[in-house]
Amino acid sequence: MDETIVHAYGVIAADEPLTQFPPGIADTTVWVYGAGSLAAIVSLLPVEGFGVADWERNAANVGWLERVARQHHEVLQYATMTAAAVPLRLPSVYGSLESLADTLHAVSDRLEGDLRRIGGKVEWAVKVYRTGEGQSSAVGHAATSGHDYLLARSRDLSARSSAREQLREQVREIHDALGQVSAEYVRNQPQDAVLSGRREQMLLNGAYLVSRADQARFLELAGEIADDSSTRGLSVEVSGPWPAYNFTADAEAATPEAIT
Amino acid sequence: MSSDGMGLGRNPAGRGTPDYLQTHPRSDSLADVLERVLDKGIVIVGDIQIRLLDIELLTIKIRLMVASVDKAREMGINWWESDEYITQLEDADDKSELGELTRRLEALEGRMHESPQVESNRADREEEARGRS
């Protein structure tokens, strides 16, 4: 191969017996590169096409980005099925395997800490959407005078605000209930309606680090919550298991409140 | 092992998987994947190739881009255009996430001009990042 650059997908303990990965970015061969007690899941990308300039140029190219992001994710997803893998954020490129090894060595304490944190656990995602009545307003229908209008408007506003408060509370309860079955849990910024591709407003975008042994319990609870919520105008979606993207030292939880 | 559970649709036939449960990973939305691989996980700054600041800058630009209506339209997503309620929601979201991203982007770009020697600050920045979380 011509000149190459190292791409690292994630970090695992050196003794994890992982082989036969799915294809990496640009359909490259993925393998485990050991560096002391740690190992990186890596593949070699052609410099031409994946150099710094390419990343910058393609940041605005959704097609390119999607392929790269999905292949990065697939590799981590595969590793997560049997091992604890600390996901690395895209782009994660190094000039050579030696420099990657040096880098891992330099932050090995932190990586080992992350590995201990996520060992034996996987991430589940739960989203809650509002499917119930939208914001229909009574204003304007019955008002025959300015005074009536203002009165109706003020009632409408206070009804809306208490409904919002209730909704907020329900979502918080769901999140906390799921959190009780999790080792850790975080609430992320709800996805924009355009981004999520859903008409309904997303109220909760939660991530839960669940012990493999507790997964059945977690899913059972999520199922109960989903059934229960459908009668309350909420729709619950569960996805996973994900690599533990949300539970490493660098992952930041965004603002908690979705309902404005 | 690797193929089991892959490529399932939202409600794979014959498995009795309930509607709300989405198994992995082909059906993951692009938003879900991008949100994770670009914004979560850890950053270990390597030798030279892309500096920490650049990574963050790139990430934010990508997020802005993905969240932008024009790009969504390019991707063939445009159902909201006739939906007033959603348009209002979007306006509200603009103020929160996009506003926040734009501020971070501006701040980062400002910092980039101030300190061309970013690499020498790497250790500090890592400390800072750790302190934040």
Side-chain angles (χ1 to χ4, degrees):
Chain A
M1 203 189 281
D2 289 334
E3 235 195 312
T4 55
I5 195 170
V6 179
H7 187 271
Y9 299 81
V11 176
I12 56 178
D15 55 4
E16 293 282 5
L18 280 175
T19 54
Q20 305 203 326
F21 285 89
I25 294 170
D27 297 326
T28 50
T29 303
V30 175
W31 83 98
V32 171
Y33 175 69
S37 63
L38 297 170
I41 303 169
V42 297
S43 74
L44 297 181
L45 308 182
V47 167
E48 201 161 328
F50 292 93
V52 178
D54 297 291
W55 283 94
E56 284 167 356
R57 191 176 55 250
N58 287 306
N61 178 345
V62 179
W64 187 88
L65 199 63
E66 174 166 11
R67 279 193 301 280
V68 169
R70 286 197 188 279
Q71 285 180 313
H72 181 83
H73 169 68
E74 293 298 327
V75 169
L76 284 167
Q77 185 70 52
Y78 171 80
T80 300
M81 292 173 77
T82 55
V86 177
L88 295 181
R89 192 181 304 178
L90 270 183
S92 180
V93 290
Y94 304 85
S96 66
L97 287 167
E98 294 69 34
S99 85
L100 170 60
D102 289 346
T103 311
L104 290 181
H105 186 70
V107 290
S108 60
D109 286 354
R110 177 178 159 210
L111 289 168
E112 280 162 7
D114 275 334
L115 277 174
R116 275 193 300 275
R117 184 177 170 194
I118 65 172
K121 307 185 187 82
V122 288
E123 179 174 320
W124 282 87
V126 176
K127 291 181 192 154
V128 176
Y129 295 90
R130 172 156 57 179
T131 50
E133 70 274 44
Q135 304 196 336
S136 66
S137 160
V139 174
H141 293 309
T144 51
S145 70
H147 178 257
D148 283 354
Y149 172 84
L150 288 176
L151 205 62
R153 171 120 182 99
S154 122
R155 276 196 204 115
D156 185 51
L157 284 175
S158 81
R160 274 202 219 183
S161 110
S162 73
R164 268 200 300 271
E165 195 43 56
Q166 236 176 351
L167 204 56
R168 201 175 274 141
E169 189 53 36
Q170 279 175 22
V171 170
R172 204 177 293 138
E173 279 170 13
I174 290 175
H175 184 55
D176 287 339
L178 292 167
Q180 297 309 305
V181 194
S182 313
E184 293 181 55
Y185 60 118
V186 296
R187 205 166 158 175
N188 287 312
Q189 177 90 37
Q191 291 169 359
D192 185 275
V194 171
L195 197 53
S196 71
R198 295 275 303 242
R199 289 177 162 274
E200 302 90 358
Q201 186 187 12
M202 189 184 293
L203 303 179
L204 174 66
N205 185 12
Y208 308 82
L209 185 66
V210 181
S211 152
R212 290 187 196 266
D214 288 336
Q215 282 188 101
R217 209 148 65 88
F218 180 87
L219 289 175
E220 195 184 333
L221 176 64
E224 283 168 20
I225 290 173
D227 290 342
D228 183 46
S229 302
S230 61
T231 59
R232 297 193 286 172
L234 299 176
S235 138
V236 175
E237 271 183 16
V238 182
S239 69
W242 290 88
Y245 287 108
N246 279 279
F247 300 97
T248 57
D250 284 358
E252 319 161 24
T255 58
E257 285 305 339
I259 304 156
T260 51
Chain B
M1 173 180 67
S2 74
S3 58
D4 186 24
M6 297 228 182
L8 296 179
R10 282 204 48 212
N11 194 4
R15 296 281 296 274
T17 307
D19 265 350
Y20 64 85
L21 181 62
Q22 196 170 353
T23 45
H24 265 269
R26 297 277 169 203
S27 54
D28 294 336
S29 77
L30 179 58
D32 285 346
V33 173
L34 288 183
E35 171 184 279
R36 286 171 171 80
V37 303
L38 294 175
D39 205 35
K40 308 295 177 186
I42 71 170
V43 177
I44 313 178
V45 180
D47 35 9
I48 26 105
Q49 296 293 343
I50 299 183
R51 294 168 304 166
L52 182 59
L53 184 61
D54 296 337
I55 294 173
E56 197 175 350
L57 200 61
L58 177 64
T59 303
I60 292 172
K61 279 185 173 160
I62 289 167
R63 290 178 67 196
L64 281 171
M65 178 277 301
V66 171
S68 90
V69 171
D70 283 352
K71 286 292 169 185
R73 231 177 246 130
E74 272 177 32
M75 293 161 79
I77 307 169
N78 67 348
W79 48 259
W80 72 87
E81 287 181 332
S82 56
D83 192 322
E84 198 179 318
Y85 174 58
I86 294 293
T87 310
Q88 283 164 3
L89 286 179
E90 270 169 33
D91 288 346
D93 281 352
D94 271 358
K95 280 181 206 104
S96 52
E97 177 157 37
L98 289 187
E100 173 61 21
L101 287 173
T102 309
R103 272 193 298 283
R104 276 171 65 190
L105 182 60
E106 281 164 3
L108 282 167
E109 283 180 338
R111 258 158 53 201
M112 196 137 102
H113 291 305
E114 282 163 26
S115 57
Q117 302 298 322
V118 178
E119 293 219 284
S120 62
N121 295 337
R122 191 193 301 156
D124 296 342
R125 288 185 44 76
E126 277 192 358
E127 273 312 311
E128 188 189 313
R130 222 174 309 179
R132 246 192 299 138
S133 53

